[in-house]
Amino acid sequence: MSLIKITFPDGNVREFERGVSGMQIAESISPRLAQVSLGIYVNEKPYDLATPITEDAAVRIVKWESDEGKSIFWHSSAHLMAEAVEALYPGTKFGIGPPIEKGWYYDMQLPEGVKLQPDDLLVIDKKMAELSERDVPFARIEKKYEDAVAYFTEKNDWLKLELLESLKGQPITFYQQGEFTDLCRGTHVPSTGKIKFSKLLSIAGAYWRGDEKRPMLTRLYGVSFPTKKELEEFIHAREEAEKRDHRKLGKELELFMLTPKIGGGLPVWLPNGAVLRNQLETFLRRAQQKMGYSQVVTPHIGNIELYKTSGHYPYYKDSQFTPIVVDDEEYLLKPMNCPHHHMIYDSKPRSYRDLPVRLAEFGTVYRYEQSGELNGLSRVRSFTQDDAHIYLMPEQLKDELCSVIKLTQHVSKTLGFNDFNIRLSFRDPANTTKYGGTDEQWIQAEKDVKEAADAMGLDYKIAPGEAAFYGPKIDFLLKDALGRSWQLGTVQVDYVMPERFDLEYIGADNKKHRPVIIHRAPFGSFERFISLLIEHYAGNFPVWLAPVQVAVLPITDGQTPYAQEIVDRLRELGVRVVLDASNEKVNARIRDQELMKVPIMLVVGGKELEARTVSLRRHGVGNIGTIPLEEAFSLVSSESAIPG
């Protein structure tokens, strides 16, 4: 008998017969583990639980609770859905069906004349449940490249044939469950019986491989869970998310508009939205002023040579608008504020005594996004960044990074985001050619970022391959009221741009030196941040952010002059207030203000007029009680003030 050594995550080592499977290893630990296991990592490579292990190895069994477990579960669910679709619509051709953050999608070309409607998703759901009950195994089948091509040629499946083109020289594997066979590298759960609780969520169109010049495919989104309870909780959370959808609330609360007459992905801020945006800008402007930032303003276009120097062109050529030709020179709609700020730094000699130089701008930039990718405010073609660039000496870097992290934390917590994760985004060590700069610069920059994160006591994860092309980042992933994670604020260290732009300062030794740059944006962009803010608060903004902070409602015409007096005084105090003295009954007017989510209502009737009081109401709470007028002014003035 030939034995191999299996090392577990806790360091324990056990011997098994050569060819032991992951499932057999799980069974040797406990029947319960075998029941809930979804896959196994062997020397950190994913294996099916049925795959034999033939050499000494370190293993890690994955369950639903892990990210890897969810990925395996959802990828397998995509295959089960594809089997159901093929059974219901024979002749369907399948593209790719990857797991995503919550569930999966599968791109497919349906038979001619078939166009799925929302009700059809219920039919596919039912078929998936039926196939799950059969509980057949997912079988991995190794294929020769030529045999794989022959298989999909016979099926006339141009999508898979095109995918095979990119796999020449690589191992080819199919997976089969029941009557369905698919090109796939895996990994999959042991059998379809694991996937009992699933639901298809939506239908969308998607260009093949994201190319607008390629055919439009049908994309089905779905999600699945090991238990009925988890699926029900997800559906409930999804329904709550739909109520909070920033596109829906943005229209109802008259915050912004998007119209094809202006252009896709080009948001227009309505008066209420402009107030919200201006409040955020004022809040951050004040915080930056206290920390020594200087405000600048740069043009919306720039000479293309500027972006060639920075590397944004051609690095991001596909995400930029076509250059504009003026007087035989090419200009770009500004895709980034950075190069403009570098030119400001370079506009005069700098001494080490001047550093750090902190340049901040609420600068609008333009990126080309495919029309199918546009999504309300969260994915647009025109957006404003709360951008800043800090030019400093290397020995100042750690302290300044800590200061920037404090600012980002202050912004997040002030706006109600107390739960966030930190990601240190480093370059991919296996593919360094796509990054600018030298190895020495990257090693130093990543060291600086990690030391600052440690000094601030941040609980972080390192993410290789997520860095910008010019430097590593500290990314802040905020969690909203529904527990969803959003990557917004970012802090980046840059040793590359100072060389590209030949930036210098004169040191204490009277010699020229290169500064280091910190790129920093606590919001990221106003558009994306406000889309998150709307959904986080469900439109129920704190008083200081609310477009209308107070509504004053006289019960009858007899109290209108008193109500107008209150409105005038509040406006003098800088409060955003409206007088609602329409002919409708007061209860109807209260309801109207509730629908507009006005946080404070002051209702005045005959008694309030006589006593110089107001009846205070809070949005979503109701009547608080009657308070003296001066107390109301003090309360409203205090809550209306911008924090900090």
Side-chain angles (χ1 to χ4, degrees):
M1 178 176 66
S2 178
L3 299 178
I4 58 173
K5 292 181 179 180
I6 298 296
T7 303
F8 294 93
D10 63 359
N12 185 33
V13 179
R14 291 175 56 187
E15 291 187 332
F16 291 87
E17 288 189 25
R18 188 180 303 277
V20 66
S21 69
M23 180 59 75
Q24 289 171 325
I25 292 174
E27 287 170 343
S28 75
I29 297 171
S30 76
R32 172 62 182 163
L33 178 60
Q35 184 181 357
V36 299
S37 296
L38 300 176
I40 186 170
Y41 274 67
V42 180
N43 295 328
E44 286 307 309
K45 293 182 179 179
Y47 274 46
D48 298 309
L49 286 168
T51 303
I53 302 171
T54 58
E55 298 177 347
D56 294 348
V59 304
R60 180 165 56 87
I61 295 170
V62 297
K63 301 181 290 184
W64 166 257
E65 291 76 14
S66 68
D67 290 342
E68 297 98 332
K70 289 181 176 65
S71 180
I72 292 170
F73 194 89
W74 286 330
H75 186 44
S76 302
S77 301
H79 277 238
L80 184 64
M81 183 195 73
E83 183 182 3
V85 170
E86 187 176 70
L88 293 166
Y89 308 100
T92 298
K93 297 175 175 59
F94 297 95
I96 58 172
I100 54 178
E101 185 180 2
K102 284 288 184 183
W104 73 87
Y105 70 77
Y106 216 127
D107 290 342
M108 58 193 71
Q109 186 179 61
L110 294 161
E112 188 174 350
V114 175
K115 185 172 177 62
L116 294 181
Q117 303 298 324
D119 287 349
D120 295 323
L121 299 185
L122 299 175
V123 178
I124 301 171
D125 276 334
K126 185 177 179 181
K127 189 65 177 178
M128 285 182 69
E130 176 190 317
L131 294 172
S132 172
E133 286 297 320
R134 297 179 185 177
D135 194 21
V136 298
F138 282 90
R140 184 175 187 271
I141 304 167
E142 295 183 2
K143 286 275 188 181
K144 292 181 179 179
Y145 181 82
E146 296 77 11
D147 293 340
V149 170
Y151 177 85
F152 287 111
T153 299
E154 185 178 346
K155 291 173 71 73
N156 194 29
D157 192 333
W158 67 273
L159 292 169
K160 294 300 186 191
L161 288 171
E162 187 170 316
L163 290 173
L164 279 168
E165 278 289 317
S166 62
L167 297 176
K168 284 182 178 178
Q170 300 180 38
I172 305 297
T173 55
F174 286 12
Y175 273 83
Q176 182 177 26
Q177 87 268 10
E179 301 299 317
F180 181 73
T181 302
D182 203 3
L183 173 70
C184 180
R185 61 167 54 96
T187 305
H188 287 289
V189 300
S191 67
T192 59
K194 294 274 187 188
I195 310 165
K196 286 185 171 65
F197 305 102
S198 62
K199 183 172 179 59
L200 298 192
L201 302 174
S202 62
I203 309 166
Y207 292 108
W208 175 233
R209 295 193 161 179
D211 186 344
E212 288 180 319
K213 297 177 182 178
R214 307 300 305 278
M216 174 73 78
L217 304 180
T218 298
R219 175 174 291 183
L220 295 187
Y221 287 93
V223 73
S224 55
F225 295 90
T227 67
K228 184 179 181 181
K229 181 185 177 193
E230 287 171 295
L231 178 59
E232 289 174 344
E233 288 174 347
F234 173 85
I235 293 171
H236 174 74
R238 181 178 170 83
E239 290 171 349
E240 182 63 26
E242 288 174 354
K243 295 176 189 175
R244 294 169 177 257
D245 190 322
H246 78 277
R247 295 165 297 183
K248 171 177 173 289
L249 289 173
K251 184 175 182 179
E252 292 173 358
L253 301 179
E254 300 176 5
L255 299 174
F256 66 92
M257 63 178 280
L258 288 156
T259 170
K261 292 183 179 180
I262 292 175
L266 302 175
V268 173
W269 294 96
L270 303 176
N272 284 347
V275 168
L276 177 60
R277 176 175 163 145
N278 288 340
Q279 288 294 95
L280 289 170
E281 183 175 322
T282 302
F283 161 65
L284 185 55
R285 192 187 298 274
R286 289 179 182 176
Q288 290 178 161
Q289 189 174 11
K290 291 177 182 178
M291 299 177 71
Y293 286 81
S294 298
Q295 204 72 27
V296 298
V297 179
T298 61
H300 289 248
I301 65 172
N303 192 298
I304 197 170
E305 296 302 322
L306 183 67
Y307 307 109
K308 288 181 179 179
T309 300
S310 70
H312 291 105
Y313 193 97
Y315 270 100
Y316 298 128
K317 182 179 179 181
D318 293 340
S319 65
Q320 293 168 16
F321 285 93
T322 304
I324 305 163
V325 179
V326 180
D327 297 333
D328 297 325
E329 288 188 314
E330 287 187 298
Y331 290 81
L332 274 183
L333 284 172
K334 181 172 61 173
M336 286 279 189
N337 298 305
C338 325
H340 297 251
H341 291 191
H342 303 334
M343 297 308 296
I344 293 172
Y345 176 88
D346 197 40
S347 64
K348 67 177 185 179
R350 306 284 180 175
S351 161
Y352 74 98
R353 299 179 187 277
D354 302 325
L355 306 185
V357 171
R358 304 178 183 93
L359 303 178
E361 177 179 17
F362 299 107
T364 301
V365 298
Y366 303 87
R367 310 269 179 86
Y368 174 71
E369 299 282 357
Q370 295 182 8
S371 57
E373 299 295 323
L374 300 175
N375 180 21
L377 291 180
S378 60
R379 196 75 178 266
V380 291
R381 289 173 172 159
S382 165
F383 55 94
T384 301
Q385 295 179 310
D386 57 322
D387 232 345
H389 297 89
I390 305 168
Y391 304 82
L392 65 166
M393 296 182 288
E395 55 266 35
Q396 296 172 315
L397 184 56
K398 179 180 172 182
D399 287 345
E400 192 69 22
L401 278 172
C402 290
S403 178
V404 170
I405 290 168
K406 287 177 185 176
L407 174 63
T408 306
Q409 290 174 325
H410 168 65
V411 168
S412 300
K413 290 177 179 177
T414 301
L415 289 160
F417 298 102
N418 296 309
D419 188 2
F420 49 83
N421 295 320
I422 307 295
R423 181 178 68 202
L424 305 189
S425 297
F426 289 176
R427 70 172 176 170
D428 182 357
N431 183 15
T432 60
T433 57
K434 64 179 182 178
Y435 304 97
T438 65
D439 288 342
E440 292 76 13
Q441 289 170 332
W442 275 90
I443 291 168
Q444 184 61 48
E446 290 178 353
K447 178 175 178 288
D448 294 331
V449 165
K450 189 174 183 304
E451 285 182 353
D454 290 336
M456 291 296 296
L458 300 182
D459 182 14
Y460 58 79
K461 290 184 178 179
I462 294 176
E466 295 296 323
F469 77 89
Y470 48 79
K473 304 184 293 176
I474 304 174
D475 292 322
F476 289 78
L477 292 87
L478 308 187
K479 285 193 176 180
D480 67 11
L482 297 180
R484 299 172 300 181
S485 186
W486 303 73
Q487 196 270 301
L488 290 166
T490 186
V491 180
Q492 304 171 0
V493 173
D494 179 4
Y495 281 86
V496 175
M497 292 301 156
E499 288 201 357
R500 285 180 178 267
F501 283 87
D502 196 24
L503 303 182
E504 298 174 341
Y505 66 90
I506 302 300
D509 58 2
N510 210 31
K511 294 180 180 178
K512 294 179 179 180
H513 298 270
R514 291 265 184 250
V516 186
I517 302 174
I518 296 175
H519 302 244
R520 177 244 70 178
F523 293 147
S525 81
F526 278 100
E527 286 71 14
R528 183 169 164 79
F529 189 81
I530 289 174
S531 75
L532 166 58
L533 208 60
I534 294 168
E535 298 189 7
H536 180 63
Y537 285 115
N540 302 311
F541 301 113
V543 179
W544 72 275
L545 274 178
V548 176
Q549 296 167 316
V550 180
V552 181
L553 292 75
I555 293 177
T556 70
D557 289 345
Q559 295 90 48
T560 298
Y562 178 48
Q564 185 64 57
E565 177 191 339
I566 295 170
V567 168
D568 292 343
R569 177 70 184 282
L570 287 173
R571 284 178 177 158
E572 288 177 4
L573 294 170
V575 176
R576 296 183 294 278
V577 57
V578 295
L579 172 65
D580 189 348
S582 68
N583 292 328
E584 290 190 70
K585 291 182 178 180
V586 70
N587 285 341
R589 284 181 278 145
I590 289 172
R591 185 173 61 252
D592 289 343
Q593 299 302 329
E594 284 284 343
L595 290 173
M596 290 304 291
K597 302 182 185 291
V598 176
I600 296 174
M601 280 175 265
L602 302 179
V603 182
V604 293
K607 292 181 180 179
E608 287 79 16
L609 171 60
E610 185 177 345
R612 302 285 292 177
T613 60
V614 294
S615 178
L616 174 66
R617 296 184 65 90
R618 295 272 190 184
H619 169 64
V621 177
N623 186 39
I624 302 298
T626 302
I627 61 173
L629 184 56
E630 290 302 323
E631 183 180 331
F633 289 149
S634 177
L635 180 148
V636 170
S637 182
S638 173
E639 294 190 25
S640 299
I642 295 174

